[in-house]
Amino acid sequence: MGGAGLGVAGLALVPEVRLFAQQVHEFIEGPPVPDVKPEQLSPHVWMVYAKEGFPTQENQGLMASIIFAITQKGVVVLDTGASVQIGQMAIRMIKTVTPKPVIAVFNSHYHGDHWLGNQAFAETYGADLPIHALAHTRDQIAGNEGNLWRSLMERWTNQATLGTKVVAPNKVVEHGQVFDYGDVQIKLHHYGRAHTPSDLCFEIVQDKLTYVGDIAMANRIANMDDGSYPGTFKFYDELKKAAGDQLWLPGHGRGSKDLLDTYGTFMKGIWEPCVRAVKEGIPIDGAKTLVLSDPRVASRAKTMDGFDSNIGKYTSLAYLEAEKEAF
């Protein structure tokens, strides 16, 4: 039976029409992302830097940095960006500093700005390219979360990321594993829920540099929808104890040796007033007043990306978690 008389809604149910729509979607791609010259951070580690902020049409979703290590055995990439176009740009940039192929990819967590570029690497270096992640991260990307992030990124960038497909990690890793790439060893760290339930940090042992993904940020208020405030502080303590003195490199912003301390101070400026409010029976609106007047928070209010639009929400999440902790 043909599609005549079915109308738009009816046509959408015809298998041939659905297949055609899918093929058109996959054929059309958003524009290329302009090149960003890589910066060398240490003897082995380079960064394709993304300015802090949030995904927009103007930045085409480029708001999380791509990190890569050039090793004796090849290039290892830590997070691949928010689209196939960003991944393609990162590959072009890697080729400007080394002829070595990419031999492995690691995804720090399941938020799409850190892994939607996987597609570009799999298409360039083969479907068998190892893409590593914790099991929970792999499962989230392979499930509904993966397509949700793909759709959100298209919407936020006004279709600039169109053509991006979900390519989930194909290798499951665990806390404490050490990957040996000849002259470089990469040690994996996971200490429970922080930014998400499955954050993975990567210690480049020889360089005393650790890429921390989104558990800390330089000057951007973090998404805590899936996270935990006390879990974050525990993660920081365990990570510092295990890795020692490091250059801590975030997915958003510049790295520093005191990143975990400075961002932890800001986070405690949200958490501790909420704990006090719960103990003293102060309602949530009062907790927000306490947070905004805390000097650890107030000192960053005018300069932190996303502060005004997010501080209320993440104070509410802290208050709810403090209530749960109290009972």
Side-chain angles (χ1 to χ4, degrees):
M1 178 178 175
L6 287 175
V8 174
L11 281 172
L13 299 176
V14 177
E16 293 86 350
V17 175
R18 289 204 311 272
L19 178 61
F20 176 72
Q22 180 181 348
Q23 289 171 338
V24 169
H25 180 275
E26 292 177 353
F27 176 75
I28 298 172
E29 283 196 3
V33 170
D35 291 348
V36 177
K37 184 179 179 181
E39 304 174 23
Q40 188 167 9
L41 304 178
S42 66
H44 301 96
V45 178
W46 295 70
M47 170 176 66
V48 176
Y49 178 67
K51 293 180 180 178
E52 287 184 282
F54 297 85
T56 64
Q57 181 177 356
E58 290 70 31
N59 66 25
Q60 297 174 254
L62 181 60
M63 32 72 78
S65 299
I66 295 98
I67 312 302
F68 62 96
I70 301 175
T71 78
Q72 199 172 59
K73 295 183 178 180
V75 179
V76 179
V77 177
L78 309 178
D79 284 346
T80 58
S83 70
V84 65
Q85 293 87 351
I86 292 171
Q88 290 165 348
M89 182 272 287
I91 291 167
R92 293 196 302 271
M93 295 301 95
I94 290 169
K95 290 179 177 179
T96 66
V97 295
T98 179
K100 293 182 177 182
V102 172
I103 58 170
V105 167
F106 289 83
N107 294 152
S108 63
H109 62 293
Y110 57 81
H111 291 163
D113 49 322
H114 295 268
W115 62 265
L116 278 163
N118 287 357
Q119 174 190 350
F121 289 87
E123 289 178 348
T124 301
Y125 297 101
D128 292 334
L129 175 71
I131 302 177
H132 304 86
L134 291 172
H136 182 263
T137 292
R138 187 273 316 272
D139 293 346
Q140 291 294 302
I141 293 173
N144 293 335
E145 195 81 11
N147 272 314
L148 173 63
W149 273 100
R150 181 189 57 76
S151 299
L152 287 172
M153 202 59 67
E154 287 180 5
R155 188 176 78 197
W156 290 332
T157 63
N158 194 25
Q159 312 302 310
T161 64
L162 202 65
T164 300
K165 302 174 188 176
V166 173
V167 175
N170 54 23
K171 300 289 183 183
V172 170
V173 296
E174 296 179 350
H175 163 73
Q177 279 187 262
V178 178
F179 286 77
D180 188 345
Y181 296 106
D183 56 340
V184 172
Q185 282 76 49
I186 299 179
K187 184 175 182 179
L188 309 186
H189 296 271
H190 170 67
Y191 300 101
R193 182 188 297 264
H195 176 64
T196 72
S198 50
D199 298 293
L200 197 57
C201 297
F202 309 91
E203 179 187 352
I204 315 302
V205 176
Q206 284 71 19
D207 291 20
K208 293 189 178 298
L209 180 153
T210 296
Y211 173 58
V212 300
D214 278 4
I215 68 165
M217 301 187 183
N219 196 42
R220 178 180 183 267
I221 190 165
N223 176 344
M224 291 298 289
D225 293 62
D226 302 328
S228 165
Y229 284 86
T232 294
F233 307 138
K234 173 182 175 290
F235 201 121
Y236 289 0
D237 290 343
E238 294 293 332
L239 182 58
K240 288 190 287 186
K241 189 188 307 179
D245 185 42
Q246 296 281 303
L247 173 62
W248 306 107
L249 182 62
H252 302 276
R254 301 283 180 182
S256 66
K257 290 195 171 185
D258 63 353
L259 176 70
L260 300 188
D261 294 328
T262 56
Y263 199 74
T265 296
F266 168 72
M267 294 282 278
K268 286 178 181 177
I270 299 174
W271 172 248
E272 290 174 356
C274 287
V275 171
R276 173 191 159 193
V278 169
K279 285 182 178 178
E280 297 179 7
I282 299 171
I284 194 165
D285 287 343
K288 290 177 182 177
T289 300
L290 291 175
V291 168
L292 290 172
S293 62
D294 190 293
R296 295 169 292 186
V297 174
S299 63
R300 305 193 70 173
K302 292 183 179 179
T303 59
M304 181 171 278
D305 285 335
F307 183 91
D308 290 338
S309 56
N310 288 292
I311 189 63
K313 177 181 180 181
Y314 297 133
T315 297
S316 297
L317 290 173
Y319 188 88
L320 292 172
E321 188 173 9
E323 283 187 320
K324 190 181 296 184
E325 291 269 311
F327 297 103

